[in-house]
Amino acid sequence: MTTRTADAVIVGAGVLGASVASHLARSGHRVLVLDRGAPGREGSGTTAGNLHMQAVHTKRPGQAVPLDSARFLPLQRAASDRWETLEEELETSVEVRRTGGFTIAETDEQCRELHDKHGWEAAAGIPTEILDGDAARAALPLLGPTVAAATWCDLDGYANPLKVTPAYLDSAARHGGRTLAFAPVRRITRNGDGWRVVAGHGAAERVVDTPVVVDVAGPWLGEIAAMAGITLRMTPVAIQMHATVRSSATMSHLVQHIGEGLSVKQVAAGNLLIGGGWPALSMDLAGRSGTSLDSLVGNVALAVRVLPFIRDLRLLRMWAGPLAATPDEMPVIGEVPGAPGFYVAGGTYAFTFAPLWGETLRCLIEGKPPPVDISDLGPGRLMVPAGGSARDNGLEQENPQDRRSKRC
Amino acid sequence: MTAERSAALHGEVVERDVVIVGGGPAGLSAAARLASAGLAVTILDEQPELGGQYYRRPAPAVAEQWGDHRPDGGRLIARVRAAGAECRTGHLVWGVDDDGRTLLASDAAGHPVRLRARHLVLATGAFERVFPFPGWQLPGVTTPGFAQHLAAGDHTTIGERVVLAGSGPFLLPVACSLIELGVTVVGIAEAGRPYRPSLRALGALGHPARLRELAGYVARLARARVPIWQETVVLRADGRDRVSSVTLAAAARPARPVRTVEVDALCVGYGFRPQTDLARMLGCAVRVDVASGDAVPVTDAAGRASRADVYVVGEAAGIGGVHAAKARGLAAAHDILTREVRETVPVAEVRRVASARRRLARFTALTDSLYPGPAALLATLAPALPADTMVCRCEAVRAEEIRATAAGSADGDLNATKAWSRAGMGPCQGRECGFAVAGLVRSVAPRPGAGDGESRVEVFPSRLPVRPIPLATLLELAGPDSQEGDRS
Ligand SMILES: Cc1cc2nc3c(=O)[nH]c(=O)nc-3n(C[C@H](O)[C@H](O)[C@H](O)COP(=O)(O)OP(=O)(O)OC[C@H]3O[C@@H](n4cnc5c(N)ncnc54)[C@H](O)[C@@H]3O)c2cc1C
Ligand SMILES: Cc1cc2nc3c(=O)[nH]c(=O)nc-3n(C[C@H](O)[C@H](O)[C@H](O)COP(=O)(O)OP(=O)(O)OC[C@H]3O[C@@H](n4cnc5c(N)ncnc54)[C@H](O)[C@@H]3O)c2cc1C
């Protein structure tokens, strides 16, 4: 149990932890990434891996507050640029496919939303094009008859999540960064101007002194912050994904829905991945979250309605994964007020944002101006004063089961 | 609230006293006993006929010409039907509903069926334990079980000159069946050294029927002059359009060739692995069997799992052969009848079954001790597997990719290795390659994930669906609107 030092300790080897580790290591910092399990197995290993460049549908099924698209889009624009050069930066393929995507609408109301969305996108410099149903079907004949309109965006895409996190960690390792798997962080205490982090158990226990702690523990972000005496309002939820066997039909674009939980794409191997934020049956932050038949059936019915050819495929498997949402559904990133050297980053769509947030955190840690304005996204807005609990502050611990409420 | 949602799903819901999954010797024995006591019993099997592996029914034309190779199976099936059990063949049980107890099945036409019962009996049997080698994708290379099915069900031979390899007692009856069909069994390569002169003596000793049966097969093979090469394993298979030769190696030195044999078929299998997906999906506790490395459900003597309404019987609860499977099925039936208090099972009957079960368990332990434990075998075979051997055939993942992933950031974690290498992610869902992938992971990263119990269970997690199912089946569950492709 010797004490080691590091320039930064990163708690969580998900895509955000891996990205910031790579950014810091590449600019010469000695970083140590700690994970309680194998790296990239939680949100970042179960994610759909979509690169959301046009506006994301503003509400997942059951989500309480809509996302502020107008504020979110400039960030998406900035993230998009970084995905463009990521493979070069990481010196390996992570199956980035920027083949564009459709967001479809079926009802009049959804068509109106599509037009609003188009306006925000134009303002943020994200090029989208509005197509009526027939034009959308002409562009993608696999779309079904209920599609009334769609936006098309060249920049949409996806990457293989099973490759992105390892590639970032490898990049960090090439620059001297270290990753310790199966080393759960258990204690974080003030140590002079910096922090002392204790991870692992028994003979495998590690004690590390560091000026910088980066809390990127996804759904456990709040739990890690609490170790340092910081109470943050975060809501972990679990959602699920569905994969079909390989299909010979080719669909190279991402297809999403403006009003309902749906995202469909065909991955490099030929399988179709169907998701859209449908709730898992249960969330189990200690093990594997359970999948729900109702969500499966609902998600598949929607997918088949929009893309009828899917009807002839077989379901290969399904899984659930956890993600951390903030009460306002916006990302959280920044240094914790009153806790110098303690940074947090997370929130939904962190896969899309991983390259941008890795760079942003590096800038913040180095005291340089970040590439995008994040002044309103800091953890301050989520902090609960000492002595208060999340519940006292009006945060409803939402029961994942309640998320079933909204359906087609 | 869950029940409410589920009620909104379409498709029939069958309510029974007992639902039995698996129509092999174990499930049939339980069904016959329970139905004859008057309980409402449904037995399901994904195969078109009841019988399971051991009592697999011959095709009608074959039965007419060659007779039934296992008439006792036919009699047992007839008893189940006569006792009034509802038999649903062609029904795949592929998952569990959100309430955690309703089974999801699809019938032969792909229509969904949901079943609920006070007692669930899982008699899902086993699947063959395979281990890859260079050339195992060649046509003509199969498992002993497949060769046996062809022989028993279709009276068809797998080839004319065949080598059987692997480990375990099952290689012997398969060899005998092939010989009966006129096949030249060129030899049997057994990874262990079970066949000593003492075997026959052993068999005579305490009347262990199974050992005597084995000794009988050995004698028949000796008469047919079939060599048994002990402590021998397959190094590789060669051929152009089909396997034409097999090269064998000493088990202790699995990378060095000792002999090459001309064949037109090769059957390799290392015994069986319990099929436990459904038990695990229902949340039944499993333990790791140290000798086999398999996860086996934790059950009491009657087969009752950690969940009081679930029984796991037959090979699904641990490999033990047909007689043990039947005894376990009956023991579960007795336990259910006692709990239902509709009938007190005669003490003598309970005693007879319990003592048969204990005796068979002892024999199983004895025969098992003759053969190398699969976990130990894996530890010698996995490191010797050439780097470019295709281990996961569905996803085309080679041994070296699995090793690199396991030793790299997956850090010895089986599931992380699966996710990152794609081994086990294809349509067979890891049933074929799971054993080998676990061995490869262990061989390069011996430290299992820092000591938590779950990560020592060397099997891929059980996920719905148990086998790939048509999305059309799900649409039917969603209701008629979704099927027509209209707005719901
Ligand atoms: C099913 C699903 C679909 C999604 N689809 C998309 C999508 O299409 N596009 C998109 O942009 N986003 C998507 N998301 C969201 C996105 O995947 C996640 O926001 C993102 O991967 C989270 O990354 P992370 O690094 O913040 O957290 P995670 O990947 O969850 O990583 C957190 C890590 O912290 C570790 N940790 C926890 N406690 C400790 C401890 N005590 N000590 C050490 N380590 C600890 C965990 O083991 C874990 O590895 C999806 C999420 C899910 C679940
Ligand atoms: C390929 C193979 C061939 C074998 N051949 C022989 C042999 O020739 N001689 C011998 O002594 N032993 C043989 N065995 C061993 C044999 O399995 C046992 O001795 C005996 O059959 C075990 O009986 P059981 O009832 O436990 O399982 P099984 O006989 O295996 O029966 C299990 C049944 O469950 C059904 N099932 C499984 N999962 C599902 C599901 N999800 N939904 C619906 N149905 C399901 C299967 O279709 C099967 O019919 C063989 C085993 C295998 C795997």
Side-chain angles (χ1 to χ4, degrees), chain B residues 19-28 30 43-45 52 120-126 275 278 311-317 325 329:
Chain B
V19 165
I20 302 172
V21 187
L28 288 169
I43 182 166
L44 302 103
D45 201 295
L120 288 177
V121 178
L122 306 180
T124 47
Q275 192 146 271
L278 279 177
Y311 292 77
V312 190
V313 299
E315 310 260 81

Side-chain angles (χ1 to χ4, degrees), chain A residues 10-18 34-52 165 183-186 199 216-221 223-224 227 237-241 263 265 276-277 319-324 345-353:
Chain A
I10 294 159
V11 186
V15 69
L16 287 184
L34 299 169
D35 203 288
R36 66 202 267 275
R41 295 285 295 142
E42 300 293 347
S44 303
T46 50
T47 177
N50 299 330
L51 307 180
H52 295 289
T165 301
V185 169
R186 292 166 38 232
V216 275
W220 299 267
L221 187 150
E223 189 183 311
I224 298 297
M227 292 180 189
V237 294
I239 59 173
Q240 72 187 44
M241 291 295 306
S263 92
K265 64 180 168 289
W319 65 87
L323 59 82
T348 42
Y349 305 109
F351 187 76
T352 300
F353 283 107

Side-chain angles (χ1 to χ4, degrees), chain B residues 222-315:
Chain B
R223 280 200 301 277
R225 301 198 177 281
V226 174
I228 301 184
W229 303 303
Q230 301 197 78
E231 296 181 316
T232 302
V233 294
V234 174
L235 178 61
R236 59 164 202 276
D238 293 288
R240 288 172 125 220
D241 318 326
R242 188 185 168 85
V243 62
S244 58
S245 73
V246 50
T247 301
L248 303 168
R253 286 185 170 172
R256 189 197 284 180
V258 293
R259 68 155 57 80
T260 296
V261 190
E262 309 273 290
V263 293
D264 61 2
L266 168 65
C267 308
V268 191
Y270 292 85
F272 304 100
R273 304 190 86 184
Q275 192 146 271
T276 59
D277 322 57
L278 279 177
R280 289 184 289 144
M281 207 175 276
L282 283 159
C284 300
V286 291
R287 64 177 177 82
V288 180
D289 181 81
V290 181
S292 67
D294 295 330
V296 290
V298 176
T299 57
D300 69 7
R304 209 195 293 191
S306 65
R307 244 184 87 154
D309 57 342
V310 177
Y311 292 77
V312 190
V313 299
E315 310 260 81

Side-chain angles (χ1 to χ4, degrees), chain A residues 38-41 45-46 106-107 110 145-146 160-163 165-166 169-170 180-182 244-246 257 260 267 269 271 274 281 288 291-298 300-302 304-305 310-320 399 401-402 404 407-408, chain B residues 1-2 5-6 9 94 96-100 104 114 394-396 409-413 415-420 422 424-429 447 449-450 452 454-455 461-465 467-472 474-475 477-479 482-488:
Chain A
R41 295 285 295 142
T46 50
E106 293 178 292
T107 64
Q110 291 165 357
T146 62
N160 187 340
L162 302 176
K163 296 202 164 162
T165 301
L169 290 175
D170 288 350
L180 265 185
F182 300 102
T244 73
V245 295
R246 292 172 187 199
H257 200 298
E260 300 191 38
V267 296
N271 312 72
I274 305 171
L281 179 65
R288 266 185 295 123
T291 52
S292 155
L293 177 77
D294 287 353
S295 285
L296 164 71
V297 165
V300 162
L302 182 57
V304 169
R305 197 170 79 214
I310 294 178
R311 173 199 300 272
D312 300 325
L313 301 179
R314 283 181 303 151
L315 176 75
L316 176 58
R317 66 178 165 271
M318 65 199 276
W319 65 87
N399 176 351
Q401 310 295 354
D402 298 339
R404 299 161 171 280
R407 264 299 138 67
C408 12
Chain B
M1 144 226 54
T2 309
R5 266 297 307 166
S6 292
L9 292 176
W94 53 268
V96 179
D97 203 348
D98 288 353
D99 62 1
L104 306 167
R114 284 176 294 157
C394 299
E395 295 289 313
S409 30
D411 205 9
D413 189 76
N415 292 318
T417 304
K418 169 186 170 183
W420 288 3
R422 289 192 74 81
M425 300 255 266
C428 94
Q429 298 166 314
R447 184 185 69 86
D452 59 293
E454 167 79 1
S455 60
S462 161
R463 286 220 176 103
L464 190 151
R467 309 230 203 295
I469 52 146
L471 291 186
L474 296 172
L475 292 178
L477 276 172
S482 324
Q483 290 180 72
E484 288 152 23
D486 292 343
R487 297 276 300 121
S488 57

Side-chain angles (χ1 to χ4, degrees), chain B residues 22 24-26 45-46 52-54 91 93 124-125 148 170 272 315 322:
Chain B
D45 201 295
E46 62 181 305
Q53 304 294 0
Y54 189 81
H91 276 63
V93 179
T124 47
Q148 179 80 334
F170 185 53
F272 304 100
E315 310 260 81
V322 59

Side-chain angles (χ1 to χ4, degrees), chain B residues 318-384:
Chain B
I319 306 309
V322 59
H323 303 294
K326 287 167 74 173
R328 288 177 185 169
L330 278 176
H334 289 159
D335 204 56
I336 291 171
L337 289 175
T338 312
R339 284 167 77 190
E340 286 283 316
V341 255
R342 296 246 191 124
E343 178 198 304
T344 335
V345 184
V347 180
E349 184 187 339
V350 173
R351 270 212 204 112
R352 197 167 61 242
V353 170
S355 92
R357 207 179 35 72
R358 280 194 301 272
R359 194 179 62 241
L360 287 161
R362 278 198 305 276
F363 293 166
T364 302
L366 194 59
T367 13
D368 281 355
S369 70
L370 291 173
Y371 296 90
L377 248 173
L378 192 58
T380 53
L381 293 180

Side-chain angles (χ1 to χ4, degrees), chain A residues 11 186-190 193-197 211-234 332-345 378-390 393 395:
Chain A
V11 186
R186 292 166 38 232
R187 273 198 308 279
I188 303 176
T189 48
R190 257 292 174 207
D193 290 345
W195 302 92
R196 171 164 288 190
V197 179
V212 170
V213 172
V214 185
D215 175 1
V216 275
W220 299 267
L221 187 150
E223 189 183 311
I224 298 297
M227 292 180 189
I230 304 156
T231 311
L232 293 177
R233 296 184 300 146
M234 298 286 288
V332 56
I333 181 162
E335 190 172 17
V336 176
F342 197 98
Y343 296 82
V344 301
R381 74 184 200 279
L382 305 178
M383 284 177 76
V384 178
S389 78
N393 270 267
L395 173 75

